Amino acid sequence: ILPPPNLALFALGTGVGFALTDADGRLINRLGSSDRHMLMAGDQVATASYEGMWRCVPSGPRKKVLKRMVGQYGDMVSGRLGYEALDIARETIRADSGCSDEEVEMQAVRMYGEQWLQFLQTRFLPEFTTPAREEKYAVRSICFAGGVAEHKWPLLCDAIVDESSKLRTLPESIGAETTSGASRISMQVLPPAPQFSGLIGAAVYALAGAAGLSQSIWSL
């Protein structure tokens, strides 16, 4: 059994785990790997610089929440897109509004999902799908693992994935003006990884996948 080819896997935890398969479905990520095909702007994806999307939105309560959404890793991918950023969004919305717990959760996960979408469309995809990248290592699909994906996927999916299971294009409200042609790429988003797989990392999870249609990948 091989994982799907040309697949980018993101494990959502305190930080962000990342793994990648090549065109033959072989996992090219290894612990501590510095394989150039795994790097984004010369850095590991998890530790690459990323300050979030707060500068792209108008001033107001939403901008305030987005600016505060940063975990212990600071302005890098793991700091802005790990689950601590989601926790801070909840805390900020709860403190500054009279929303119910359900409304707080919906707003927080929505903003967290939109920040993921902005990162994928403006930072990750332009580099990992560029024509200059070797076809063998070009990303053709994306999926998520870890606790946030396992427990919040319906809300997260609504922010990231369209009705045809493709990555959404960026609306102008979250920085479409900064996006290149990446926002028009037809990028499949697969169902999330099996429950608890995030605990052992995206790399191990990838080995549990099977080639084929997305709806059957996690049926093993």
Side-chain angles (χ1 to χ4, degrees), residues 31-185:
L31 188 62
S33 172
S34 59
D35 190 306
R36 63 186 178 85
H37 302 296
M38 299 290 297
L39 303 181
M40 188 176 75
D43 293 320
Q44 296 282 348
V45 171
T47 56
S49 175
Y50 177 62
E51 64 173 11
M53 68 178 191
W54 65 273
R55 294 185 187 277
C56 303
V57 300
S59 296
R62 191 160 173 265
K63 189 182 189 79
K64 178 181 178 181
V65 175
L66 290 166
K67 186 174 182 179
R68 290 184 177 178
M69 283 174 62
V70 55
Q72 62 182 283
Y73 296 105
D75 282 335
M76 59 177 63
V77 172
S78 284
R80 290 287 180 175
L81 297 171
Y83 76 72
E84 287 182 333
L86 176 56
D87 283 344
I88 291 169
R90 291 189 187 104
E91 293 169 5
T92 305
I93 295 169
R94 185 176 292 112
D96 295 348
S97 71
C99 295
S100 67
D101 288 346
E102 182 178 359
E103 291 171 328
V104 166
E105 190 67 15
M106 290 180 65
Q107 289 184 39
V109 177
R110 179 77 189 183
M111 278 191 258
Y112 177 76
E114 287 178 346
Q115 186 144 281
W116 260 105
L117 180 62
Q118 199 259 1
F119 163 73
L120 290 170
Q121 295 286 27
T122 65
R123 292 293 307 281
F124 183 79
L125 291 181
E127 185 157 348
F128 280 77
T129 62
T130 175
R133 188 175 176 84
E134 291 181 47
E135 181 65 23
K136 184 175 182 178
Y137 302 104
V139 170
R140 296 288 177 258
S141 57
I142 295 170
C143 65
F144 296 88
V148 177
E150 290 165 8
H151 301 295
K152 301 299 177 184
W153 183 244
L155 291 174
L156 193 59
C157 178
D158 187 58
I160 296 176
V161 187
D162 67 17
E163 296 78 6
S164 59
S165 298
K166 306 291 185 182
L167 193 69
R168 289 188 183 278
T169 56
L170 266 182
E172 292 183 3
S173 62
I174 58 173
E177 70 277 3
T178 65
T179 312
S180 68
S183 64
R184 296 186 293 276
I185 291 174

